[in-house]
Amino acid sequence: DDIRNASTSRQIAQRVCELHTLVGHHRPFSGDAEKQNNGATAAYLSKKPDLWTNVDVLMGFMQNNWPEIRRKCDVNVQCAEILDNWHQVEQAVHKFKTYIEKDVHSPIVFSHNDLAYDNILRLEGSGEIVLIDYEYAGFNYRGFDIANHFYTWKPNSSYSETPHILDLARYPTVEQRYSFLRAYVLAKTAMVTDASGPVPNSAQLAELSTARLTEDQICKEVAALDREVASFAAAPFLQWGVWGLLKTCSSEIDFDFVSYSAQRLSRFLSHVADLK
């Protein structure tokens, strides 16, 4: 449960913030190079967030593999019911996308997109936290990347007897979220205001940030970021739910992808139904 340790969580928040500001400080192209490569660069940097790209691609693969997925999922009543009413999932995706694009402001940042327990390591000796496995990394909503991380607050799946089970009790409490988000806000403030210098350590980040923001301003930023992240509560359930359905007919590992997907898509539908 090291990931739930307050100090560890704050270190992770700093690493995530550094990743999110990376492209802002070191863009793939700049100046003349950007003009010379304008076509490819503009097309990539201006493309829609990975959340929608991934969902579109996954949903397309769903249609291509529908008979096999349907056969695999017939063993699970909950999953079979979701597939029987797949039009409801499609309608919910449209409703959720409209809500995010119309009512939610979340900057597009360079995101890890899979900040699970397994992809966060602590180096021996230095104790430094590092993020690994950038297979799914790309430009995405900041709120999605953090929301996705919060839903993976659980031990490495290889140590669990039921790794497919969605345990919502493991979701961080308000206090735990605010601790993470405060560290993120402090890191962001320090790095944005001193982008030319070396990356400061945790103590230096706090000193730099509090020198530029009052405690009241920090609290307001943390609360606003928590609301932003909460807006994406349904997104991880959608993306990984559909991803899991595809895995039912492509993966050979011993894992209950059917139950995994059924639980997550059910939560997605429930979340979206609650949207005004």
Side-chain angles (χ1 to χ4, degrees):
D1 271 5
D2 189 38
I3 198 171
R4 307 180 75 84
N5 176 275
S7 176
T8 299
S9 179
R10 288 192 292 269
Q11 291 178 64
I12 295 171
Q14 182 181 338
R15 294 284 89 82
V16 174
C17 184
E18 289 169 2
L19 177 65
H20 287 176
T21 58
L22 179 65
V23 176
H25 294 167
H26 308 286
R27 296 181 66 81
F29 298 92
S30 62
D32 292 338
E34 187 169 20
K35 293 177 183 177
Q36 293 170 8
N37 296 276
N38 184 63
T41 306
Y44 185 67
L45 293 181
S46 65
K47 73 184 185 74
K48 59 187 175 183
D50 277 1
L51 172 59
W52 308 129
T53 301
N54 293 340
V55 169
D56 287 346
V57 170
L58 291 170
M59 296 285 269
F61 283 136
M62 275 284 299
Q63 297 304 317
N64 295 339
N65 295 274
W66 186 266
E68 179 66 9
I69 292 172
R70 183 64 225 232
R71 184 181 67 81
K72 296 275 188 177
C73 291
D74 274 345
V75 299
N76 183 291
V77 174
Q78 184 183 34
C79 193
E81 183 177 353
I82 290 172
L83 292 181
D84 284 340
N85 299 278
W86 191 249
H87 64 283
Q88 294 181 356
V89 175
E90 295 173 328
Q91 291 170 356
V93 171
H94 177 74
K95 179 181 178 180
F96 181 61
K97 184 177 181 180
T98 300
Y99 160 71
I100 292 295
E101 294 182 337
K102 180 181 178 182
D103 299 330
V104 178
H105 173 69
S106 185
I108 307 301
V109 298
F110 185 70
S111 301
H112 186 282
N113 289 331
D114 190 20
L115 287 167
Y117 187 97
D118 311 51
N119 294 331
I120 303 170
L121 301 181
R122 184 187 296 280
L123 299 181
E124 292 185 6
S126 68
E128 180 184 2
I129 293 291
V130 294
L131 310 179
I132 65 167
D133 192 354
Y134 287 81
E135 177 185 0
Y136 297 104
F139 292 91
N140 210 349
Y141 296 109
R142 175 179 64 181
F144 171 85
D145 211 21
I146 299 176
N148 188 59
H149 169 63
F150 283 165
Y151 276 113
T152 62
W153 269 40
K154 60 181 180 180
N156 186 311
S157 59
S158 61
Y159 299 115
S160 172
E161 294 182 359
T162 55
H164 61 282
I165 296 295
L166 179 62
D167 186 0
L168 296 178
R170 306 288 296 182
Y171 191 80
T173 64
V174 173
E175 181 181 359
Q176 290 169 328
R177 297 199 310 271
Y178 270 45
S179 177
F180 178 98
L181 298 174
R182 180 184 176 88
Y184 184 101
V185 168
L186 294 180
K188 176 175 174 287
T189 303
M191 285 186 284
V192 168
T193 54
D194 191 25
S196 61
V199 176
N201 60 35
S202 298
Q204 292 169 326
L205 281 174
E207 183 178 347
L208 282 168
S209 300
T210 52
R212 294 177 171 88
L213 290 177
T214 66
E215 181 61 26
D216 184 58
Q217 289 173 320
I218 293 173
C219 290
K220 287 181 178 178
E221 287 225 20
V222 170
L225 184 53
D226 190 50
R227 290 192 296 272
E228 175 190 327
V229 172
S231 298
F232 287 88
F237 297 136
L238 168 62
Q239 178 172 302
W240 299 115
V242 180
W243 172 87
L245 288 178
L246 290 169
K247 284 293 184 179
T248 63
C249 56
S250 64
S251 177
E252 296 181 356
I253 67 172
D254 183 17
F255 187 87
D256 190 351
F257 283 111
V258 174
S259 294
Y260 172 94
S261 295
Q263 292 171 66
R264 282 151 184 80
L265 287 173
S266 178
R267 290 300 305 176
F268 168 69
L269 291 170
S270 177
H271 269 287
V272 175
D274 289 339
L275 292 177
K276 301 300 182 183

